[in-house]
Amino acid sequence: MKMRTLGQSGPEVSAIALGCMSFAGFYGSTTRDDSFATLDAAREAGITFLDTAELYGKGLSEQIIGEWQKDRGHAFTIATKGGIVIGGERGQADNSEPGLRRALEGSLSRLGVDHVALYYVHRRQFDLPIETVTETLEGFRQEGLIGGFGFSEIAPASLRRAASVAPVMAVQNEYSIWTRYPELGMIQTCADLGTSFVPFSPLARGMMSETAPTYEAVQSIAFLRNNPRFMQPNFSANQAQIEPLRAFAHAKGWTLPALAIAWVLDQGDHLVPIPGTRTAAHLRDWATADQIAFTDQDRTEIARLAPPGWAHGDRYSDAQIVGIERYC
C-alpha cells in the first residue's frame, strides 16, 4: 500500500483508509465478528488508517476498534470525530471546550488509547466562531490528546479562518465521481494550506460497488431510501449511467470500486479517501486501488462516461443536509 502524509507534518498513513461507520449498522445489520474480519482484512491489505466517530452507533464503532486492537495487539492510526449532540435534535452541535473535551475523552476511553492522531469537529456549531473552536482543538493538541485536528463538511472560507489560528491537519467532505462540489474550492484550498483532504463516500454510498445494489436493497436502509439519489426515478437513471463505467473498469481488468477510489487518489497527492464497508470481501474489491495508474486516455474516457454533474438528484435531502456548510 502506498503512503501519504496527513497535513503538513502529520503521520504517514496508507493512501486508502477504512471508514468504520458501517460497524455500527448504518448501512445494514452486521456483527462484531464481521467487523473484526474487516479489520483483519484491512491490516492484511496494508491499510494503517481508520476513520470513526462518537456518533457511529453512539460509540459502538469506536468500541469495536478498541476491542480489536486489544485482542490483536495491533494499533492503527485513528481519526475520530465529536461535536454532534448525541440524542439531540438533528444537526444540533456542541463545539464548546467542555463539550468537545467530554466527547474526546469518551472516544479515547472506548478506543482504549490516550491519544488519537486526528480529531475532527463532526459538525460546526454555527453560533460559535470557528476561530474559537480552533483554539480549543489546538489546546487539545498541546495537551498531547490529539496529534492534529480537522473539520468535517465545512466550506473553504471556514477552513481559511481556522487555519489563521493554527494549522488544520485535515478536512473531511463527501467527494467521489458523482459528488464533485469540493472541486469548487475545497480541494484547492486544502492544497494551498497544506491540509489533507479526506473524501468520505468515495464509492457513492454503495452505488460504485462491484455488484450493483438493487432498489429493494436500498429501500431497507433508512438513510438511502430518503436520499434523493436513491429515490425513483433517480435511482434507475443513476444505475444506467454507472453501467458503462463498470464495463470500462472490467475491460481494463479493474473492479468498479477500485476504479472509483483510484480516480479520487488521482485528483491530488493530498487526498486520502476513506471507503467504508461491513465485509472483508468488499474491502478486497478495492484494497489495491492505489496500484492503478491511469493513462491520459483512461482519464478522458472516465470524464466522458461520468462528467461533472452527471448524477441524478441531490446528495442529501433537505432534512439530511442540516448542519452542513454549503458554499456553492
Short mmCIF file of all heavy atoms in Angstrom, two decimals, residues 27 123 152-155 172-176 178-182 197 199-201 204-205 223-224 226-231 234 238 311-328:
data_model
loop_
_atom_site.label_atom_id
_atom_site.label_comp_id
_atom_site.label_asym_id
_atom_site.label_seq_id
_atom_site.Cartn_x
_atom_site.Cartn_y
_atom_site.Cartn_z
N TYR A 27 -25.45 0.97 7.38
CA TYR A 27 -25.85 0.51 6.05
C TYR A 27 -26.37 -0.93 6.07
O TYR A 27 -26.34 -1.62 5.06
CB TYR A 27 -24.68 0.64 5.07
CG TYR A 27 -24.44 2.07 4.64
CD1 TYR A 27 -23.33 2.76 5.07
CD2 TYR A 27 -25.34 2.72 3.80
CE1 TYR A 27 -23.11 4.08 4.66
CE2 TYR A 27 -25.14 4.03 3.40
CZ TYR A 27 -24.01 4.70 3.83
OH TYR A 27 -23.81 6.01 3.44
N ARG A 123 -19.57 18.33 13.18
CA ARG A 123 -20.43 19.37 12.61
C ARG A 123 -20.19 20.66 13.37
O ARG A 123 -20.06 20.66 14.60
CB ARG A 123 -21.91 18.99 12.69
CG ARG A 123 -22.33 17.85 11.79
CD ARG A 123 -22.29 18.24 10.32
NE ARG A 123 -22.79 17.16 9.48
CZ ARG A 123 -22.05 16.18 8.96
NH1 ARG A 123 -20.74 16.14 9.22
NH2 ARG A 123 -22.59 15.25 8.22
N SER A 152 -15.23 18.49 9.57
CA SER A 152 -16.00 17.73 8.60
C SER A 152 -17.10 18.59 8.02
O SER A 152 -17.78 19.32 8.74
CB SER A 152 -16.61 16.48 9.26
OG SER A 152 -17.38 15.74 8.33
N GLU A 153 -17.27 18.52 6.69
CA GLU A 153 -18.35 19.20 5.98
C GLU A 153 -18.35 20.71 6.21
O GLU A 153 -19.38 21.31 6.55
CB GLU A 153 -19.71 18.59 6.35
CG GLU A 153 -19.90 17.15 5.88
CD GLU A 153 -20.39 17.05 4.45
OE1 GLU A 153 -20.01 17.90 3.63
OE2 GLU A 153 -21.16 16.11 4.16
N ILE A 154 -17.18 21.34 6.05
CA ILE A 154 -17.11 22.79 6.14
C ILE A 154 -16.82 23.38 4.76
O ILE A 154 -16.54 22.67 3.80
CB ILE A 154 -16.05 23.26 7.16
CG1 ILE A 154 -14.63 22.87 6.71
CG2 ILE A 154 -16.37 22.75 8.55
CD1 ILE A 154 -13.53 23.58 7.49
N ALA A 155 -16.86 24.72 4.70
CA ALA A 155 -16.60 25.45 3.46
C ALA A 155 -15.15 25.92 3.40
O ALA A 155 -14.49 26.06 4.44
CB ALA A 155 -17.54 26.66 3.40
N GLN A 172 -12.66 16.81 6.05
CA GLN A 172 -13.37 15.63 5.55
C GLN A 172 -14.71 16.07 4.98
O GLN A 172 -15.56 16.60 5.69
CB GLN A 172 -13.58 14.65 6.71
CG GLN A 172 -14.31 13.39 6.33
CD GLN A 172 -14.49 12.44 7.50
OE1 GLN A 172 -15.61 12.05 7.81
NE2 GLN A 172 -13.41 12.09 8.18
N ASN A 173 -14.87 15.90 3.68
CA ASN A 173 -16.13 16.19 3.00
C ASN A 173 -16.43 15.04 2.05
O ASN A 173 -15.53 14.29 1.66
CB ASN A 173 -16.05 17.48 2.18
CG ASN A 173 -16.14 18.74 3.03
OD1 ASN A 173 -16.07 18.70 4.24
ND2 ASN A 173 -16.27 19.87 2.36
N GLU A 174 -17.69 14.94 1.62
CA GLU A 174 -18.04 13.94 0.63
C GLU A 174 -17.41 14.29 -0.71
O GLU A 174 -17.47 15.45 -1.15
CB GLU A 174 -19.56 13.82 0.48
CG GLU A 174 -19.98 12.73 -0.48
CD GLU A 174 -21.48 12.60 -0.63
OE1 GLU A 174 -22.23 13.30 0.08
OE2 GLU A 174 -21.92 11.78 -1.48
N TYR A 175 -16.83 13.30 -1.38
CA TYR A 175 -16.24 13.52 -2.71
C TYR A 175 -16.11 12.18 -3.42
O TYR A 175 -15.64 11.20 -2.83
CB TYR A 175 -14.87 14.17 -2.59
CG TYR A 175 -14.23 14.53 -3.92
CD1 TYR A 175 -14.90 15.33 -4.85
CD2 TYR A 175 -12.95 14.09 -4.23
CE1 TYR A 175 -14.30 15.67 -6.06
CE2 TYR A 175 -12.35 14.43 -5.44
CZ TYR A 175 -13.04 15.22 -6.35
OH TYR A 175 -12.45 15.56 -7.55
N SER A 176 -16.54 12.15 -4.66
CA SER A 176 -16.48 10.92 -5.46
C SER A 176 -16.73 11.29 -6.91
O SER A 176 -16.95 12.46 -7.24
CB SER A 176 -17.54 9.91 -5.00
OG SER A 176 -18.85 10.40 -5.28
N TRP A 178 -19.35 10.92 -8.40
CA TRP A 178 -20.68 11.50 -8.58
C TRP A 178 -20.96 12.68 -7.66
O TRP A 178 -22.00 13.33 -7.81
CB TRP A 178 -21.76 10.44 -8.49
CG TRP A 178 -22.27 9.99 -7.14
CD1 TRP A 178 -21.69 10.14 -5.92
CD2 TRP A 178 -23.50 9.30 -6.93
NE1 TRP A 178 -22.48 9.58 -4.94
CE2 TRP A 178 -23.60 9.05 -5.55
CE3 TRP A 178 -24.52 8.85 -7.75
CZ2 TRP A 178 -24.67 8.38 -4.98
CZ3 TRP A 178 -25.60 8.19 -7.19
CH2 TRP A 178 -25.67 7.95 -5.82
N THR A 179 -20.08 13.01 -6.74
CA THR A 179 -20.24 14.20 -5.89
C THR A 179 -18.99 15.04 -6.04
O THR A 179 -17.94 14.72 -5.47
CB THR A 179 -20.45 13.81 -4.42
OG1 THR A 179 -21.71 13.14 -4.28
CG2 THR A 179 -20.46 15.04 -3.52
N ARG A 180 -19.09 16.13 -6.80
CA ARG A 180 -17.90 16.84 -7.25
C ARG A 180 -17.76 18.26 -6.67
O ARG A 180 -16.84 18.99 -7.05
CB ARG A 180 -17.92 16.93 -8.78
CG ARG A 180 -18.07 15.57 -9.47
CD ARG A 180 -16.81 14.76 -9.44
NE ARG A 180 -15.91 15.22 -10.47
CZ ARG A 180 -15.97 14.80 -11.75
NH1 ARG A 180 -16.87 13.90 -12.14
NH2 ARG A 180 -15.13 15.27 -12.63
N TYR A 181 -18.68 18.65 -5.79
CA TYR A 181 -18.65 20.05 -5.36
C TYR A 181 -17.34 20.48 -4.71
O TYR A 181 -16.96 21.67 -4.80
CB TYR A 181 -19.84 20.36 -4.43
CG TYR A 181 -19.65 19.89 -3.01
CD1 TYR A 181 -19.24 20.78 -2.02
CD2 TYR A 181 -19.87 18.57 -2.65
CE1 TYR A 181 -19.06 20.35 -0.72
CE2 TYR A 181 -19.68 18.14 -1.36
CZ TYR A 181 -19.28 19.04 -0.39
OH TYR A 181 -19.07 18.61 0.90
N PRO A 182 -16.54 19.59 -4.03
CA PRO A 182 -15.26 20.06 -3.48
C PRO A 182 -14.30 20.62 -4.53
O PRO A 182 -13.35 21.33 -4.18
CB PRO A 182 -14.69 18.82 -2.79
CG PRO A 182 -15.90 18.04 -2.39
CD PRO A 182 -16.82 18.21 -3.57
N PHE A 197 -7.05 16.49 2.36
CA PHE A 197 -8.47 16.39 2.06
C PHE A 197 -8.86 14.93 2.13
O PHE A 197 -8.28 14.09 1.43
CB PHE A 197 -8.80 16.98 0.69
CG PHE A 197 -10.26 16.94 0.36
CD1 PHE A 197 -11.18 17.63 1.13
CD2 PHE A 197 -10.73 16.18 -0.70
CE1 PHE A 197 -12.53 17.59 0.85
CE2 PHE A 197 -12.08 16.12 -0.99
CZ PHE A 197 -12.98 16.83 -0.22
N PRO A 199 -11.77 12.44 1.52
CA PRO A 199 -13.10 12.22 0.94
C PRO A 199 -13.81 11.02 1.58
O PRO A 199 -13.27 9.92 1.62
CB PRO A 199 -12.80 11.93 -0.54
CG PRO A 199 -11.39 12.39 -0.77
CD PRO A 199 -10.71 12.16 0.55
N PHE A 200 -15.03 11.27 2.06
CA PHE A 200 -15.83 10.13 2.50
C PHE A 200 -16.83 9.79 1.40
O PHE A 200 -17.08 10.57 0.49
CB PHE A 200 -16.50 10.38 3.85
CG PHE A 200 -17.61 11.41 3.89
CD1 PHE A 200 -18.90 11.10 3.47
CD2 PHE A 200 -17.38 12.69 4.39
CE1 PHE A 200 -19.93 12.03 3.53
CE2 PHE A 200 -18.39 13.63 4.45
CZ PHE A 200 -19.67 13.30 4.02
N SER A 201 -17.36 8.59 1.49
CA SER A 201 -18.27 8.04 0.47
C SER A 201 -17.67 8.08 -0.94
O SER A 201 -18.35 8.45 -1.90
CB SER A 201 -19.62 8.76 0.49
OG SER A 201 -20.28 8.56 1.71
N ALA A 204 -19.69 6.30 -3.61
CA ALA A 204 -21.04 6.78 -3.91
C ALA A 204 -22.10 6.04 -3.09
O ALA A 204 -23.14 5.65 -3.61
CB ALA A 204 -21.34 6.67 -5.41
N ARG A 205 -21.80 5.86 -1.81
CA ARG A 205 -22.73 5.22 -0.88
C ARG A 205 -23.18 3.84 -1.37
O ARG A 205 -24.33 3.44 -1.21
CB ARG A 205 -23.93 6.12 -0.59
CG ARG A 205 -23.54 7.49 -0.06
CD ARG A 205 -24.73 8.28 0.44
NE ARG A 205 -24.37 9.64 0.78
CZ ARG A 205 -23.78 10.04 1.92
NH1 ARG A 205 -23.49 9.14 2.84
NH2 ARG A 205 -23.50 11.30 2.13
N PHE A 223 -31.51 5.77 5.68
CA PHE A 223 -30.85 6.93 5.10
C PHE A 223 -30.97 6.95 3.58
O PHE A 223 -31.25 7.98 2.98
CB PHE A 223 -29.38 6.97 5.50
CG PHE A 223 -28.60 8.08 4.85
CD1 PHE A 223 -28.62 9.36 5.38
CD2 PHE A 223 -27.89 7.87 3.69
CE1 PHE A 223 -27.95 10.41 4.77
CE2 PHE A 223 -27.21 8.90 3.06
CZ PHE A 223 -27.23 10.18 3.61
N LEU A 224 -30.77 5.79 2.96
CA LEU A 224 -30.78 5.74 1.50
C LEU A 224 -32.17 5.91 0.92
O LEU A 224 -32.35 6.57 -0.10
CB LEU A 224 -30.15 4.44 1.01
CG LEU A 224 -28.66 4.24 1.32
CD1 LEU A 224 -28.15 2.95 0.69
CD2 LEU A 224 -27.83 5.43 0.84
N ASN A 226 -34.48 7.66 1.83
CA ASN A 226 -34.91 9.06 1.91
C ASN A 226 -33.94 10.01 1.22
O ASN A 226 -34.09 11.22 1.29
CB ASN A 226 -35.06 9.48 3.37
CG ASN A 226 -36.19 8.74 4.06
OD1 ASN A 226 -37.30 8.69 3.55
ND2 ASN A 226 -35.91 8.16 5.22
N ASN A 227 -32.93 9.44 0.54
CA ASN A 227 -31.93 10.24 -0.15
C ASN A 227 -32.34 10.42 -1.61
O ASN A 227 -32.68 9.44 -2.29
CB ASN A 227 -30.56 9.55 -0.06
CG ASN A 227 -29.46 10.36 -0.69
OD1 ASN A 227 -29.37 10.45 -1.90
ND2 ASN A 227 -28.61 10.95 0.13
N PRO A 228 -32.34 11.65 -2.13
CA PRO A 228 -32.85 11.87 -3.49
C PRO A 228 -32.19 11.02 -4.56
O PRO A 228 -32.87 10.61 -5.52
CB PRO A 228 -32.55 13.36 -3.71
CG PRO A 228 -32.59 13.96 -2.34
CD PRO A 228 -32.01 12.90 -1.44
N ARG A 229 -30.92 10.72 -4.44
CA ARG A 229 -30.25 9.94 -5.49
C ARG A 229 -30.67 8.48 -5.51
O ARG A 229 -30.43 7.78 -6.49
CB ARG A 229 -28.73 10.05 -5.33
CG ARG A 229 -28.22 11.44 -5.66
CD ARG A 229 -26.72 11.53 -5.65
NE ARG A 229 -26.31 12.88 -6.01
CZ ARG A 229 -25.05 13.31 -6.02
NH1 ARG A 229 -24.07 12.49 -5.67
NH2 ARG A 229 -24.77 14.55 -6.36
N PHE A 230 -31.29 8.04 -4.40
CA PHE A 230 -31.71 6.64 -4.31
C PHE A 230 -33.22 6.48 -4.43
O PHE A 230 -33.74 5.39 -4.24
CB PHE A 230 -31.20 6.05 -2.99
CG PHE A 230 -29.70 5.90 -2.94
CD1 PHE A 230 -28.90 6.96 -2.55
CD2 PHE A 230 -29.09 4.72 -3.33
CE1 PHE A 230 -27.51 6.83 -2.52
CE2 PHE A 230 -27.72 4.59 -3.31
CZ PHE A 230 -26.92 5.65 -2.91
N MET A 231 -33.90 7.56 -4.73
CA MET A 231 -35.35 7.52 -4.94
C MET A 231 -35.62 7.47 -6.45
O MET A 231 -34.85 8.01 -7.24
CB MET A 231 -36.00 8.75 -4.31
CG MET A 231 -35.78 8.85 -2.80
SD MET A 231 -36.26 10.44 -2.09
CE MET A 231 -38.04 10.32 -2.20
N ASN A 234 -34.68 8.69 -9.99
CA ASN A 234 -33.24 8.98 -9.96
C ASN A 234 -32.39 7.72 -9.83
O ASN A 234 -31.34 7.59 -10.47
CB ASN A 234 -32.91 9.93 -8.81
CG ASN A 234 -33.48 11.31 -9.00
OD1 ASN A 234 -33.76 11.72 -10.12
ND2 ASN A 234 -33.67 12.03 -7.91
N ASN A 238 -29.43 6.73 -12.35
CA ASN A 238 -28.04 6.66 -11.90
C ASN A 238 -27.43 5.29 -12.19
O ASN A 238 -26.27 5.20 -12.61
CB ASN A 238 -27.95 6.98 -10.40
CG ASN A 238 -28.15 8.45 -10.12
OD1 ASN A 238 -27.74 9.30 -10.90
ND2 ASN A 238 -28.77 8.77 -8.99
N ALA A 311 -24.79 13.01 -11.92
CA ALA A 311 -25.69 12.29 -11.01
C ALA A 311 -27.09 12.91 -11.00
O ALA A 311 -27.24 14.14 -11.04
CB ALA A 311 -25.12 12.28 -9.60
N HIS A 312 -28.09 12.05 -10.92
CA HIS A 312 -29.49 12.48 -10.85
C HIS A 312 -29.88 12.61 -9.38
O HIS A 312 -29.80 11.66 -8.62
CB HIS A 312 -30.40 11.46 -11.54
CG HIS A 312 -30.14 11.33 -13.01
ND1 HIS A 312 -30.98 11.83 -13.98
CD2 HIS A 312 -29.10 10.75 -13.69
CE1 HIS A 312 -30.50 11.56 -15.18
NE2 HIS A 312 -29.36 10.91 -15.03
N GLY A 313 -30.32 13.80 -8.98
CA GLY A 313 -30.75 14.03 -7.61
C GLY A 313 -29.66 14.66 -6.76
O GLY A 313 -28.47 14.53 -7.04
N ASP A 314 -30.07 15.33 -5.69
CA ASP A 314 -29.14 15.96 -4.76
C ASP A 314 -28.50 14.89 -3.88
O ASP A 314 -29.04 13.80 -3.70
CB ASP A 314 -29.89 16.97 -3.89
CG ASP A 314 -28.97 18.00 -3.23
OD1 ASP A 314 -27.74 17.82 -3.29
OD2 ASP A 314 -29.50 18.97 -2.67
N ARG A 315 -27.34 15.22 -3.29
CA ARG A 315 -26.64 14.24 -2.46
C ARG A 315 -27.30 14.08 -1.10
O ARG A 315 -27.08 13.07 -0.42
CB ARG A 315 -25.17 14.63 -2.29
CG ARG A 315 -24.91 15.82 -1.40
CD ARG A 315 -23.45 16.23 -1.43
NE ARG A 315 -23.15 17.25 -0.45
CZ ARG A 315 -22.53 17.04 0.71
NH1 ARG A 315 -22.16 15.82 1.05
NH2 ARG A 315 -22.28 18.03 1.52
N TYR A 316 -28.09 15.05 -0.66
CA TYR A 316 -28.83 14.99 0.60
C TYR A 316 -30.24 15.52 0.36
O TYR A 316 -30.45 16.39 -0.50
CB TYR A 316 -28.19 15.86 1.68
CG TYR A 316 -26.93 15.32 2.32
CD1 TYR A 316 -25.77 16.09 2.37
CD2 TYR A 316 -26.91 14.06 2.90
CE1 TYR A 316 -24.61 15.62 2.98
CE2 TYR A 316 -25.76 13.58 3.51
CZ TYR A 316 -24.61 14.37 3.55
OH TYR A 316 -23.48 13.88 4.15
N SER A 317 -31.18 15.06 1.16
CA SER A 317 -32.49 15.69 1.22
C SER A 317 -32.38 16.95 2.08
O SER A 317 -31.36 17.18 2.74
CB SER A 317 -33.52 14.74 1.83
OG SER A 317 -33.23 14.54 3.21
N ASP A 318 -33.42 17.76 2.10
CA ASP A 318 -33.40 18.96 2.93
C ASP A 318 -33.22 18.61 4.41
O ASP A 318 -32.53 19.33 5.14
CB ASP A 318 -34.69 19.76 2.74
CG ASP A 318 -34.77 20.42 1.37
OD1 ASP A 318 -33.72 20.53 0.69
OD2 ASP A 318 -35.88 20.83 0.97
N ALA A 319 -33.80 17.51 4.84
CA ALA A 319 -33.67 17.10 6.24
C ALA A 319 -32.26 16.60 6.53
O ALA A 319 -31.70 16.85 7.61
CB ALA A 319 -34.70 16.03 6.58
N GLN A 320 -31.66 15.89 5.58
CA GLN A 320 -30.34 15.29 5.81
C GLN A 320 -29.21 16.31 5.79
O GLN A 320 -28.16 16.08 6.39
CB GLN A 320 -30.08 14.22 4.75
CG GLN A 320 -30.96 12.99 4.89
CD GLN A 320 -30.91 12.10 3.65
OE1 GLN A 320 -30.50 12.53 2.57
NE2 GLN A 320 -31.34 10.85 3.80
N ILE A 321 -29.40 17.43 5.14
CA ILE A 321 -28.31 18.39 4.96
C ILE A 321 -28.19 19.37 6.13
O ILE A 321 -27.28 20.22 6.15
CB ILE A 321 -28.47 19.15 3.62
CG1 ILE A 321 -27.10 19.63 3.12
CG2 ILE A 321 -29.45 20.30 3.76
CD1 ILE A 321 -27.11 20.10 1.69
N VAL A 322 -29.04 19.25 7.13
CA VAL A 322 -28.99 20.14 8.29
C VAL A 322 -27.61 20.03 8.96
O VAL A 322 -27.09 18.93 9.18
CB VAL A 322 -30.10 19.76 9.30
CG1 VAL A 322 -29.91 20.55 10.59
CG2 VAL A 322 -31.45 20.06 8.69
N GLY A 323 -27.01 21.17 9.26
CA GLY A 323 -25.72 21.19 9.95
C GLY A 323 -24.51 21.18 9.05
O GLY A 323 -23.38 21.25 9.53
N ILE A 324 -24.72 21.11 7.74
CA ILE A 324 -23.61 21.05 6.78
C ILE A 324 -23.42 22.43 6.16
O ILE A 324 -24.39 23.08 5.76
CB ILE A 324 -23.90 19.99 5.71
CG1 ILE A 324 -23.86 18.59 6.34
CG2 ILE A 324 -22.92 20.09 4.56
CD1 ILE A 324 -24.36 17.50 5.44
N GLU A 325 -22.18 22.87 6.07
CA GLU A 325 -21.89 24.16 5.45
C GLU A 325 -22.01 24.06 3.94
O GLU A 325 -21.36 23.23 3.31
CB GLU A 325 -20.50 24.64 5.82
CG GLU A 325 -20.40 25.23 7.20
CD GLU A 325 -19.13 26.06 7.34
OE1 GLU A 325 -19.05 27.15 6.76
OE2 GLU A 325 -18.22 25.60 8.05
N ARG A 326 -22.82 24.93 3.35
CA ARG A 326 -22.93 24.98 1.89
C ARG A 326 -22.15 26.19 1.38
O ARG A 326 -22.17 27.26 2.00
CB ARG A 326 -24.39 25.11 1.49
CG ARG A 326 -25.28 24.04 2.07
CD ARG A 326 -26.65 24.08 1.45
NE ARG A 326 -27.70 23.71 2.40
CZ ARG A 326 -28.95 23.50 2.08
NH1 ARG A 326 -29.34 23.61 0.82
NH2 ARG A 326 -29.85 23.17 3.00
N TYR A 327 -21.48 26.03 0.25
CA TYR A 327 -20.71 27.15 -0.29
C TYR A 327 -20.83 27.24 -1.79
O TYR A 327 -20.11 28.01 -2.42
CB TYR A 327 -19.24 27.02 0.12
CG TYR A 327 -18.54 25.75 -0.27
CD1 TYR A 327 -17.88 25.62 -1.48
CD2 TYR A 327 -18.53 24.64 0.59
CE1 TYR A 327 -17.23 24.46 -1.84
CE2 TYR A 327 -17.89 23.47 0.26
CZ TYR A 327 -17.24 23.38 -0.95
OH TYR A 327 -16.59 22.20 -1.29
N CYS A 328 -21.75 26.50 -2.38
CA CYS A 328 -21.98 26.59 -3.81
C CYS A 328 -23.39 26.08 -4.11
O CYS A 328 -24.02 25.50 -3.25
CB CYS A 328 -20.95 25.80 -4.60
SG CYS A 328 -20.88 24.05 -4.18
#
